Amino acid sequence: MKKVVLLVLLFGGGLAFAQMPSSGTIGTGADLAHHCADRPPVGKASEAVDAAYAQGYCFGVLTTAAEILDSDGQIHFPDGASFAQIQKIVTNYLNAHPEEWQKPASQLVKKALKQAWGTS
């Protein structure tokens, strides 16, 4: 069983990297909107790989930006704040501002979180 899981992870990881855009557009608001969008349940292994990559991308971008903003004192997390709240704040901002999707994802996360939890 462990060998099968390892093979799936290795093979699946290769698929995820093969599907990454090479045009330099990774890291935009459009990428973030796509990867952080709610996804229907998956049925095939390839769909599971895509969903896992998207979830990891979304989690990585949002938590990294949020931690940096919090440590710099630019935002203050309310008690009990969760990743789901961060994701909802950012996706709501992205959905309300599709005209900004070409901007860097980190810039849009910063704007969304400062709007919600900014200290200044």
Side-chain angles (χ1 to χ4, degrees), residues 15-57:
L15 286 177
F17 287 114
Q19 294 172 0
M20 289 174 54
S22 61
S23 64
T25 59
I26 196 161
T28 66
D31 296 319
L32 198 57
H34 172 73
H35 292 307
C36 290
D38 288 332
R39 295 178 178 270
V42 297
K44 297 185 217 171
S46 63
E47 292 171 347
V49 169
D50 290 344
Y53 174 80
Q55 184 179 19
Y57 178 91

PDB file of all heavy atoms in Angstrom, residues 15-57:
ATOM      1  N   LEU A  15       2.538  15.599 -12.588  1.00  0.00           N
ATOM      2  CA  LEU A  15       1.420  16.157 -13.345  1.00  0.00           C
ATOM      3  C   LEU A  15       1.122  17.582 -12.913  1.00  0.00           C
ATOM      4  O   LEU A  15       0.858  18.447 -13.735  1.00  0.00           O
ATOM      5  CB  LEU A  15       0.158  15.298 -13.156  1.00  0.00           C
ATOM      6  CG  LEU A  15       0.124  13.970 -13.873  1.00  0.00           C
ATOM      7  CD1 LEU A  15      -1.152  13.220 -13.507  1.00  0.00           C
ATOM      8  CD2 LEU A  15       0.213  14.157 -15.371  1.00  0.00           C
ATOM      9  N   ALA A  16       1.166  17.821 -11.612  1.00  0.00           N
ATOM     10  CA  ALA A  16       0.873  19.161 -11.121  1.00  0.00           C
ATOM     11  C   ALA A  16       1.883  20.161 -11.644  1.00  0.00           C
ATOM     12  O   ALA A  16       1.532  21.254 -12.076  1.00  0.00           O
ATOM     13  CB  ALA A  16       0.856  19.171  -9.590  1.00  0.00           C
ATOM     14  N   PHE A  17       3.162  19.790 -11.623  1.00  0.00           N
ATOM     15  CA  PHE A  17       4.184  20.700 -12.114  1.00  0.00           C
ATOM     16  C   PHE A  17       4.091  20.865 -13.624  1.00  0.00           C
ATOM     17  O   PHE A  17       4.357  21.930 -14.148  1.00  0.00           O
ATOM     18  CB  PHE A  17       5.577  20.232 -11.707  1.00  0.00           C
ATOM     19  CG  PHE A  17       5.854  20.443 -10.262  1.00  0.00           C
ATOM     20  CD1 PHE A  17       6.035  19.379  -9.405  1.00  0.00           C
ATOM     21  CD2 PHE A  17       5.903  21.725  -9.725  1.00  0.00           C
ATOM     22  CE1 PHE A  17       6.278  19.578  -8.060  1.00  0.00           C
ATOM     23  CE2 PHE A  17       6.151  21.937  -8.381  1.00  0.00           C
ATOM     24  CZ  PHE A  17       6.335  20.852  -7.546  1.00  0.00           C
ATOM     25  N   ALA A  18       3.697  19.820 -14.323  1.00  0.00           N
ATOM     26  CA  ALA A  18       3.572  19.907 -15.779  1.00  0.00           C
ATOM     27  C   ALA A  18       2.462  20.861 -16.181  1.00  0.00           C
ATOM     28  O   ALA A  18       2.488  21.443 -17.249  1.00  0.00           O
ATOM     29  CB  ALA A  18       3.308  18.524 -16.364  1.00  0.00           C
ATOM     30  N   GLN A  19       1.477  21.069 -15.298  1.00  0.00           N
ATOM     31  CA  GLN A  19       0.339  21.906 -15.629  1.00  0.00           C
ATOM     32  C   GLN A  19       0.531  23.357 -15.201  1.00  0.00           C
ATOM     33  O   GLN A  19      -0.316  24.191 -15.464  1.00  0.00           O
ATOM     34  CB  GLN A  19      -0.923  21.340 -14.973  1.00  0.00           C
ATOM     35  CG  GLN A  19      -1.297  20.000 -15.550  1.00  0.00           C
ATOM     36  CD  GLN A  19      -2.424  19.339 -14.796  1.00  0.00           C
ATOM     37  OE1 GLN A  19      -2.940  19.884 -13.832  1.00  0.00           O
ATOM     38  NE2 GLN A  19      -2.805  18.159 -15.218  1.00  0.00           N
ATOM     39  N   MET A  20       1.640  23.658 -14.558  1.00  0.00           N
ATOM     40  CA  MET A  20       1.895  25.033 -14.150  1.00  0.00           C
ATOM     41  C   MET A  20       2.154  25.884 -15.392  1.00  0.00           C
ATOM     42  O   MET A  20       2.853  25.460 -16.301  1.00  0.00           O
ATOM     43  CB  MET A  20       3.108  25.110 -13.215  1.00  0.00           C
ATOM     44  CG  MET A  20       2.849  24.529 -11.855  1.00  0.00           C
ATOM     45  SD  MET A  20       4.318  24.478 -10.828  1.00  0.00           S
ATOM     46  CE  MET A  20       4.865  26.160 -10.876  1.00  0.00           C
ATOM     47  N   PRO A  21       1.581  27.086 -15.461  1.00  0.00           N
ATOM     48  CA  PRO A  21       1.814  27.928 -16.622  1.00  0.00           C
ATOM     49  C   PRO A  21       3.273  28.351 -16.719  1.00  0.00           C
ATOM     50  O   PRO A  21       3.916  28.605 -15.713  1.00  0.00           O
ATOM     51  CB  PRO A  21       0.905  29.137 -16.387  1.00  0.00           C
ATOM     52  CG  PRO A  21       0.572  29.113 -14.948  1.00  0.00           C
ATOM     53  CD  PRO A  21       0.728  27.703 -14.473  1.00  0.00           C
ATOM     54  N   SER A  22       3.775  28.428 -17.926  1.00  0.00           N
ATOM     55  CA  SER A  22       5.167  28.822 -18.115  1.00  0.00           C
ATOM     56  C   SER A  22       5.293  30.235 -18.664  1.00  0.00           C
ATOM     57  O   SER A  22       6.374  30.688 -18.949  1.00  0.00           O
ATOM     58  CB  SER A  22       5.840  27.840 -19.070  1.00  0.00           C
ATOM     59  OG  SER A  22       5.180  27.871 -20.317  1.00  0.00           O
ATOM     60  N   SER A  23       4.183  30.929 -18.796  1.00  0.00           N
ATOM     61  CA  SER A  23       4.204  32.238 -19.428  1.00  0.00           C
ATOM     62  C   SER A  23       4.555  33.366 -18.470  1.00  0.00           C
ATOM     63  O   SER A  23       4.500  34.522 -18.848  1.00  0.00           O
ATOM     64  CB  SER A  23       2.839  32.517 -20.053  1.00  0.00           C
ATOM     65  OG  SER A  23       1.859  32.578 -19.030  1.00  0.00           O
ATOM     66  N   GLY A  24       4.872  33.062 -17.234  1.00  0.00           N
ATOM     67  CA  GLY A  24       5.199  34.118 -16.289  1.00  0.00           C
ATOM     68  C   GLY A  24       3.966  34.718 -15.629  1.00  0.00           C
ATOM     69  O   GLY A  24       4.058  35.686 -14.914  1.00  0.00           O
ATOM     70  N   THR A  25       2.788  34.119 -15.856  1.00  0.00           N
ATOM     71  CA  THR A  25       1.567  34.661 -15.273  1.00  0.00           C
ATOM     72  C   THR A  25       1.282  34.112 -13.888  1.00  0.00           C
ATOM     73  O   THR A  25       0.366  34.562 -13.243  1.00  0.00           O
ATOM     74  CB  THR A  25       0.346  34.361 -16.176  1.00  0.00           C
ATOM     75  OG1 THR A  25       0.230  32.934 -16.317  1.00  0.00           O
ATOM     76  CG2 THR A  25       0.472  35.023 -17.522  1.00  0.00           C
ATOM     77  N   ILE A  26       2.069  33.129 -13.446  1.00  0.00           N
ATOM     78  CA  ILE A  26       1.828  32.571 -12.119  1.00  0.00           C
ATOM     79  C   ILE A  26       2.080  33.654 -11.078  1.00  0.00           C
ATOM     80  O   ILE A  26       3.027  34.413 -11.187  1.00  0.00           O
ATOM     81  CB  ILE A  26       2.696  31.327 -11.878  1.00  0.00           C
ATOM     82  CG1 ILE A  26       2.153  30.562 -10.693  1.00  0.00           C
ATOM     83  CG2 ILE A  26       4.139  31.661 -11.697  1.00  0.00           C
ATOM     84  CD1 ILE A  26       2.620  29.138 -10.644  1.00  0.00           C
ATOM     85  N   GLY A  27       1.203  33.732 -10.122  1.00  0.00           N
ATOM     86  CA  GLY A  27       1.356  34.735  -9.093  1.00  0.00           C
ATOM     87  C   GLY A  27       0.477  35.950  -9.276  1.00  0.00           C
ATOM     88  O   GLY A  27       0.635  36.926  -8.576  1.00  0.00           O
ATOM     89  N   THR A  28      -0.478  35.883 -10.202  1.00  0.00           N
ATOM     90  CA  THR A  28      -1.392  37.010 -10.408  1.00  0.00           C
ATOM     91  C   THR A  28      -2.691  36.777  -9.637  1.00  0.00           C
ATOM     92  O   THR A  28      -2.954  35.680  -9.141  1.00  0.00           O
ATOM     93  CB  THR A  28      -1.737  37.178 -11.895  1.00  0.00           C
ATOM     94  OG1 THR A  28      -2.482  36.039 -12.322  1.00  0.00           O
ATOM     95  CG2 THR A  28      -0.495  37.365 -12.744  1.00  0.00           C
ATOM     96  N   GLY A  29      -3.498  37.803  -9.594  1.00  0.00           N
ATOM     97  CA  GLY A  29      -4.814  37.680  -8.987  1.00  0.00           C
ATOM     98  C   GLY A  29      -5.663  36.642  -9.697  1.00  0.00           C
ATOM     99  O   GLY A  29      -6.452  35.938  -9.060  1.00  0.00           O
ATOM    100  N   ALA A  30      -5.497  36.524 -11.010  1.00  0.00           N
ATOM    101  CA  ALA A  30      -6.244  35.513 -11.758  1.00  0.00           C
ATOM    102  C   ALA A  30      -5.858  34.109 -11.297  1.00  0.00           C
ATOM    103  O   ALA A  30      -6.721  33.238 -11.135  1.00  0.00           O
ATOM    104  CB  ALA A  30      -6.000  35.671 -13.256  1.00  0.00           C
ATOM    105  N   ASP A  31      -4.562  33.880 -11.095  1.00  0.00           N
ATOM    106  CA  ASP A  31      -4.104  32.583 -10.587  1.00  0.00           C
ATOM    107  C   ASP A  31      -4.709  32.311  -9.217  1.00  0.00           C
ATOM    108  O   ASP A  31      -5.195  31.217  -8.948  1.00  0.00           O
ATOM    109  CB  ASP A  31      -2.579  32.544 -10.473  1.00  0.00           C
ATOM    110  CG  ASP A  31      -1.891  32.662 -11.806  1.00  0.00           C
ATOM    111  OD1 ASP A  31      -2.351  32.047 -12.783  1.00  0.00           O
ATOM    112  OD2 ASP A  31      -0.886  33.390 -11.869  1.00  0.00           O
ATOM    113  N   LEU A  32      -4.681  33.307  -8.369  1.00  0.00           N
ATOM    114  CA  LEU A  32      -5.199  33.148  -7.020  1.00  0.00           C
ATOM    115  C   LEU A  32      -6.703  32.885  -7.043  1.00  0.00           C
ATOM    116  O   LEU A  32      -7.190  32.005  -6.328  1.00  0.00           O
ATOM    117  CB  LEU A  32      -4.884  34.400  -6.197  1.00  0.00           C
ATOM    118  CG  LEU A  32      -4.961  34.274  -4.695  1.00  0.00           C
ATOM    119  CD1 LEU A  32      -4.050  33.167  -4.171  1.00  0.00           C
ATOM    120  CD2 LEU A  32      -4.609  35.595  -4.046  1.00  0.00           C
ATOM    121  N   ALA A  33      -7.439  33.619  -7.864  1.00  0.00           N
ATOM    122  CA  ALA A  33      -8.881  33.401  -7.973  1.00  0.00           C
ATOM    123  C   ALA A  33      -9.177  31.980  -8.443  1.00  0.00           C
ATOM    124  O   ALA A  33     -10.086  31.317  -7.927  1.00  0.00           O
ATOM    125  CB  ALA A  33      -9.501  34.416  -8.935  1.00  0.00           C
ATOM    126  N   HIS A  34      -8.397  31.505  -9.405  1.00  0.00           N
ATOM    127  CA  HIS A  34      -8.589  30.150  -9.919  1.00  0.00           C
ATOM    128  C   HIS A  34      -8.262  29.100  -8.861  1.00  0.00           C
ATOM    129  O   HIS A  34      -9.036  28.169  -8.632  1.00  0.00           O
ATOM    130  CB  HIS A  34      -7.720  29.933 -11.162  1.00  0.00           C
ATOM    131  CG  HIS A  34      -7.699  28.532 -11.647  1.00  0.00           C
ATOM    132  ND1 HIS A  34      -8.773  27.945 -12.280  1.00  0.00           N
ATOM    133  CD2 HIS A  34      -6.746  27.581 -11.569  1.00  0.00           C
ATOM    134  CE1 HIS A  34      -8.478  26.694 -12.575  1.00  0.00           C
ATOM    135  NE2 HIS A  34      -7.243  26.451 -12.154  1.00  0.00           N
ATOM    136  N   HIS A  35      -7.126  29.233  -8.199  1.00  0.00           N
ATOM    137  CA  HIS A  35      -6.682  28.212  -7.258  1.00  0.00           C
ATOM    138  C   HIS A  35      -7.429  28.247  -5.929  1.00  0.00           C
ATOM    139  O   HIS A  35      -7.503  27.223  -5.242  1.00  0.00           O
ATOM    140  CB  HIS A  35      -5.185  28.326  -7.005  1.00  0.00           C
ATOM    141  CG  HIS A  35      -4.356  27.975  -8.200  1.00  0.00           C
ATOM    142  ND1 HIS A  35      -4.496  26.798  -8.900  1.00  0.00           N
ATOM    143  CD2 HIS A  35      -3.373  28.645  -8.837  1.00  0.00           C
ATOM    144  CE1 HIS A  35      -3.650  26.751  -9.900  1.00  0.00           C
ATOM    145  NE2 HIS A  35      -2.951  27.874  -9.890  1.00  0.00           N
ATOM    146  N   CYS A  36      -7.964  29.392  -5.541  1.00  0.00           N
ATOM    147  CA  CYS A  36      -8.673  29.485  -4.263  1.00  0.00           C
ATOM    148  C   CYS A  36     -10.181  29.299  -4.401  1.00  0.00           C
ATOM    149  O   CYS A  36     -10.896  29.331  -3.399  1.00  0.00           O
ATOM    150  CB  CYS A  36      -8.382  30.830  -3.598  1.00  0.00           C
ATOM    151  SG  CYS A  36      -6.687  30.989  -3.000  1.00  0.00           S
ATOM    152  N   ALA A  37     -10.664  29.120  -5.615  1.00  0.00           N
ATOM    153  CA  ALA A  37     -12.099  28.930  -5.840  1.00  0.00           C
ATOM    154  C   ALA A  37     -12.559  27.608  -5.233  1.00  0.00           C
ATOM    155  O   ALA A  37     -11.796  26.640  -5.165  1.00  0.00           O
ATOM    156  CB  ALA A  37     -12.402  28.950  -7.329  1.00  0.00           C
ATOM    157  N   ASP A  38     -13.805  27.584  -4.793  1.00  0.00           N
ATOM    158  CA  ASP A  38     -14.378  26.329  -4.306  1.00  0.00           C
ATOM    159  C   ASP A  38     -14.419  25.346  -5.459  1.00  0.00           C
ATOM    160  O   ASP A  38     -14.738  25.704  -6.595  1.00  0.00           O
ATOM    161  CB  ASP A  38     -15.792  26.553  -3.772  1.00  0.00           C
ATOM    162  CG  ASP A  38     -15.796  27.310  -2.458  1.00  0.00           C
ATOM    163  OD1 ASP A  38     -14.802  27.213  -1.707  1.00  0.00           O
ATOM    164  OD2 ASP A  38     -16.794  27.997  -2.175  1.00  0.00           O
ATOM    165  N   ARG A  39     -14.111  24.111  -5.169  1.00  0.00           N
ATOM    166  CA  ARG A  39     -14.069  23.070  -6.199  1.00  0.00           C
ATOM    167  C   ARG A  39     -15.054  21.967  -5.838  1.00  0.00           C
ATOM    168  O   ARG A  39     -15.201  21.619  -4.675  1.00  0.00           O
ATOM    169  CB  ARG A  39     -12.665  22.490  -6.314  1.00  0.00           C
ATOM    170  CG  ARG A  39     -11.662  23.519  -6.794  1.00  0.00           C
ATOM    171  CD  ARG A  39     -10.264  22.918  -6.855  1.00  0.00           C
ATOM    172  NE  ARG A  39      -9.341  23.895  -7.367  1.00  0.00           N
ATOM    173  CZ  ARG A  39      -9.064  24.057  -8.658  1.00  0.00           C
ATOM    174  NH1 ARG A  39      -9.628  23.290  -9.549  1.00  0.00           N
ATOM    175  NH2 ARG A  39      -8.205  24.976  -9.036  1.00  0.00           N
ATOM    176  N   PRO A  40     -15.677  21.398  -6.860  1.00  0.00           N
ATOM    177  CA  PRO A  40     -16.580  20.264  -6.594  1.00  0.00           C
ATOM    178  C   PRO A  40     -15.764  19.044  -6.174  1.00  0.00           C
ATOM    179  O   PRO A  40     -14.549  18.987  -6.408  1.00  0.00           O
ATOM    180  CB  PRO A  40     -17.260  20.035  -7.947  1.00  0.00           C
ATOM    181  CG  PRO A  40     -16.329  20.617  -8.955  1.00  0.00           C
ATOM    182  CD  PRO A  40     -15.613  21.743  -8.266  1.00  0.00           C
ATOM    183  N   PRO A  41     -16.418  18.067  -5.565  1.00  0.00           N
ATOM    184  CA  PRO A  41     -15.694  16.840  -5.195  1.00  0.00           C
ATOM    185  C   PRO A  41     -15.052  16.205  -6.420  1.00  0.00           C
ATOM    186  O   PRO A  41     -15.577  16.296  -7.530  1.00  0.00           O
ATOM    187  CB  PRO A  41     -16.789  15.931  -4.621  1.00  0.00           C
ATOM    188  CG  PRO A  41     -17.921  16.834  -4.289  1.00  0.00           C
ATOM    189  CD  PRO A  41     -17.817  18.014  -5.203  1.00  0.00           C
ATOM    190  N   VAL A  42     -13.916  15.571  -6.211  1.00  0.00           N
ATOM    191  CA  VAL A  42     -13.174  14.985  -7.325  1.00  0.00           C
ATOM    192  C   VAL A  42     -13.480  13.505  -7.453  1.00  0.00           C
ATOM    193  O   VAL A  42     -13.811  12.841  -6.479  1.00  0.00           O
ATOM    194  CB  VAL A  42     -11.656  15.199  -7.167  1.00  0.00           C
ATOM    195  CG1 VAL A  42     -11.325  16.669  -7.193  1.00  0.00           C
ATOM    196  CG2 VAL A  42     -11.145  14.573  -5.887  1.00  0.00           C
ATOM    197  N   GLY A  43     -13.359  13.010  -8.665  1.00  0.00           N
ATOM    198  CA  GLY A  43     -13.624  11.607  -8.914  1.00  0.00           C
ATOM    199  C   GLY A  43     -12.423  10.865  -9.450  1.00  0.00           C
ATOM    200  O   GLY A  43     -12.224   9.698  -9.159  1.00  0.00           O
ATOM    201  N   LYS A  44     -11.619  11.530 -10.250  1.00  0.00           N
ATOM    202  CA  LYS A  44     -10.465  10.888 -10.868  1.00  0.00           C
ATOM    203  C   LYS A  44      -9.181  11.310 -10.163  1.00  0.00           C
ATOM    204  O   LYS A  44      -9.121  12.367  -9.543  1.00  0.00           O
ATOM    205  CB  LYS A  44     -10.352  11.295 -12.339  1.00  0.00           C
ATOM    206  CG  LYS A  44     -11.496  10.885 -13.194  1.00  0.00           C
ATOM    207  CD  LYS A  44     -11.188  11.255 -14.634  1.00  0.00           C
ATOM    208  CE  LYS A  44     -12.430  11.728 -15.338  1.00  0.00           C
ATOM    209  NZ  LYS A  44     -12.125  12.277 -16.652  1.00  0.00           N
ATOM    210  N   ALA A  45      -8.155  10.495 -10.327  1.00  0.00           N
ATOM    211  CA  ALA A  45      -6.862  10.803  -9.700  1.00  0.00           C
ATOM    212  C   ALA A  45      -6.301  12.113 -10.227  1.00  0.00           C
ATOM    213  O   ALA A  45      -5.752  12.916  -9.467  1.00  0.00           O
ATOM    214  CB  ALA A  45      -5.870   9.669  -9.929  1.00  0.00           C
ATOM    215  N   SER A  46      -6.445  12.372 -11.526  1.00  0.00           N
ATOM    216  CA  SER A  46      -5.909  13.613 -12.085  1.00  0.00           C
ATOM    217  C   SER A  46      -6.630  14.833 -11.520  1.00  0.00           C
ATOM    218  O   SER A  46      -6.017  15.878 -11.316  1.00  0.00           O
ATOM    219  CB  SER A  46      -6.000  13.600 -13.607  1.00  0.00           C
ATOM    220  OG  SER A  46      -7.351  13.534 -14.025  1.00  0.00           O
ATOM    221  N   GLU A  47      -7.925  14.691 -11.243  1.00  0.00           N
ATOM    222  CA  GLU A  47      -8.674  15.794 -10.633  1.00  0.00           C
ATOM    223  C   GLU A  47      -8.218  16.014  -9.193  1.00  0.00           C
ATOM    224  O   GLU A  47      -8.152  17.151  -8.728  1.00  0.00           O
ATOM    225  CB  GLU A  47     -10.172  15.505 -10.673  1.00  0.00           C
ATOM    226  CG  GLU A  47     -10.764  15.512 -12.062  1.00  0.00           C
ATOM    227  CD  GLU A  47     -12.202  15.016 -12.097  1.00  0.00           C
ATOM    228  OE1 GLU A  47     -12.678  14.438 -11.088  1.00  0.00           O
ATOM    229  OE2 GLU A  47     -12.854  15.194 -13.134  1.00  0.00           O
ATOM    230  N   ALA A  48      -7.909  14.925  -8.507  1.00  0.00           N
ATOM    231  CA  ALA A  48      -7.431  15.032  -7.130  1.00  0.00           C
ATOM    232  C   ALA A  48      -6.080  15.739  -7.086  1.00  0.00           C
ATOM    233  O   ALA A  48      -5.822  16.557  -6.203  1.00  0.00           O
ATOM    234  CB  ALA A  48      -7.330  13.647  -6.489  1.00  0.00           C
ATOM    235  N   VAL A  49      -5.224  15.452  -8.054  1.00  0.00           N
ATOM    236  CA  VAL A  49      -3.912  16.112  -8.128  1.00  0.00           C
ATOM    237  C   VAL A  49      -4.103  17.598  -8.378  1.00  0.00           C
ATOM    238  O   VAL A  49      -3.485  18.435  -7.715  1.00  0.00           O
ATOM    239  CB  VAL A  49      -3.034  15.466  -9.228  1.00  0.00           C
ATOM    240  CG1 VAL A  49      -1.793  16.303  -9.492  1.00  0.00           C
ATOM    241  CG2 VAL A  49      -2.660  14.054  -8.843  1.00  0.00           C
ATOM    242  N   ASP A  50      -4.971  17.946  -9.318  1.00  0.00           N
ATOM    243  CA  ASP A  50      -5.232  19.356  -9.615  1.00  0.00           C
ATOM    244  C   ASP A  50      -5.789  20.076  -8.383  1.00  0.00           C
ATOM    245  O   ASP A  50      -5.381  21.191  -8.074  1.00  0.00           O
ATOM    246  CB  ASP A  50      -6.217  19.497 -10.775  1.00  0.00           C
ATOM    247  CG  ASP A  50      -5.624  19.091 -12.109  1.00  0.00           C
ATOM    248  OD1 ASP A  50      -4.385  18.993 -12.221  1.00  0.00           O
ATOM    249  OD2 ASP A  50      -6.419  18.872 -13.054  1.00  0.00           O
ATOM    250  N   ALA A  51      -6.731  19.426  -7.698  1.00  0.00           N
ATOM    251  CA  ALA A  51      -7.339  20.034  -6.513  1.00  0.00           C
ATOM    252  C   ALA A  51      -6.305  20.200  -5.393  1.00  0.00           C
ATOM    253  O   ALA A  51      -6.289  21.231  -4.711  1.00  0.00           O
ATOM    254  CB  ALA A  51      -8.512  19.191  -6.026  1.00  0.00           C
ATOM    255  N   ALA A  52      -5.439  19.217  -5.225  1.00  0.00           N
ATOM    256  CA  ALA A  52      -4.409  19.303  -4.182  1.00  0.00           C
ATOM    257  C   ALA A  52      -3.412  20.414  -4.496  1.00  0.00           C
ATOM    258  O   ALA A  52      -3.002  21.165  -3.602  1.00  0.00           O
ATOM    259  CB  ALA A  52      -3.688  17.965  -4.038  1.00  0.00           C
ATOM    260  N   TYR A  53      -3.011  20.530  -5.757  1.00  0.00           N
ATOM    261  CA  TYR A  53      -2.099  21.601  -6.145  1.00  0.00           C
ATOM    262  C   TYR A  53      -2.747  22.957  -5.886  1.00  0.00           C
ATOM    263  O   TYR A  53      -2.130  23.853  -5.308  1.00  0.00           O
ATOM    264  CB  TYR A  53      -1.695  21.485  -7.617  1.00  0.00           C
ATOM    265  CG  TYR A  53      -0.868  22.658  -8.063  1.00  0.00           C
ATOM    266  CD1 TYR A  53       0.482  22.724  -7.763  1.00  0.00           C
ATOM    267  CD2 TYR A  53      -1.436  23.732  -8.744  1.00  0.00           C
ATOM    268  CE1 TYR A  53       1.249  23.820  -8.129  1.00  0.00           C
ATOM    269  CE2 TYR A  53      -0.681  24.825  -9.114  1.00  0.00           C
ATOM    270  CZ  TYR A  53       0.654  24.870  -8.810  1.00  0.00           C
ATOM    271  OH  TYR A  53       1.401  25.958  -9.164  1.00  0.00           O
ATOM    272  N   ALA A  54      -3.999  23.109  -6.301  1.00  0.00           N
ATOM    273  CA  ALA A  54      -4.705  24.381  -6.120  1.00  0.00           C
ATOM    274  C   ALA A  54      -4.825  24.732  -4.645  1.00  0.00           C
ATOM    275  O   ALA A  54      -4.585  25.876  -4.247  1.00  0.00           O
ATOM    276  CB  ALA A  54      -6.092  24.309  -6.769  1.00  0.00           C
ATOM    277  N   GLN A  55      -5.177  23.737  -3.837  1.00  0.00           N
ATOM    278  CA  GLN A  55      -5.322  23.974  -2.402  1.00  0.00           C
ATOM    279  C   GLN A  55      -3.984  24.372  -1.780  1.00  0.00           C
ATOM    280  O   GLN A  55      -3.914  25.299  -0.969  1.00  0.00           O
ATOM    281  CB  GLN A  55      -5.873  22.723  -1.729  1.00  0.00           C
ATOM    282  CG  GLN A  55      -6.152  22.903  -0.261  1.00  0.00           C
ATOM    283  CD  GLN A  55      -6.732  21.640   0.368  1.00  0.00           C
ATOM    284  OE1 GLN A  55      -6.611  20.544  -0.173  1.00  0.00           O
ATOM    285  NE2 GLN A  55      -7.348  21.790   1.512  1.00  0.00           N
ATOM    286  N   GLY A  56      -2.920  23.708  -2.175  1.00  0.00           N
ATOM    287  CA  GLY A  56      -1.600  24.040  -1.649  1.00  0.00           C
ATOM    288  C   GLY A  56      -1.139  25.421  -2.076  1.00  0.00           C
ATOM    289  O   GLY A  56      -0.573  26.176  -1.284  1.00  0.00           O
ATOM    290  N   TYR A  57      -1.376  25.763  -3.334  1.00  0.00           N
ATOM    291  CA  TYR A  57      -1.016  27.085  -3.850  1.00  0.00           C
ATOM    292  C   TYR A  57      -1.764  28.162  -3.068  1.00  0.00           C
ATOM    293  O   TYR A  57      -1.171  29.123  -2.580  1.00  0.00           O
ATOM    294  CB  TYR A  57      -1.353  27.177  -5.340  1.00  0.00           C
ATOM    295  CG  TYR A  57      -1.065  28.529  -5.949  1.00  0.00           C
ATOM    296  CD1 TYR A  57       0.166  28.800  -6.515  1.00  0.00           C
ATOM    297  CD2 TYR A  57      -2.032  29.532  -5.972  1.00  0.00           C
ATOM    298  CE1 TYR A  57       0.437  30.038  -7.079  1.00  0.00           C
ATOM    299  CE2 TYR A  57      -1.766  30.765  -6.529  1.00  0.00           C
ATOM    300  CZ  TYR A  57      -0.535  31.015  -7.086  1.00  0.00           C
ATOM    301  OH  TYR A  57      -0.268  32.239  -7.635  1.00  0.00           O
TER     302      TYR A  57
END
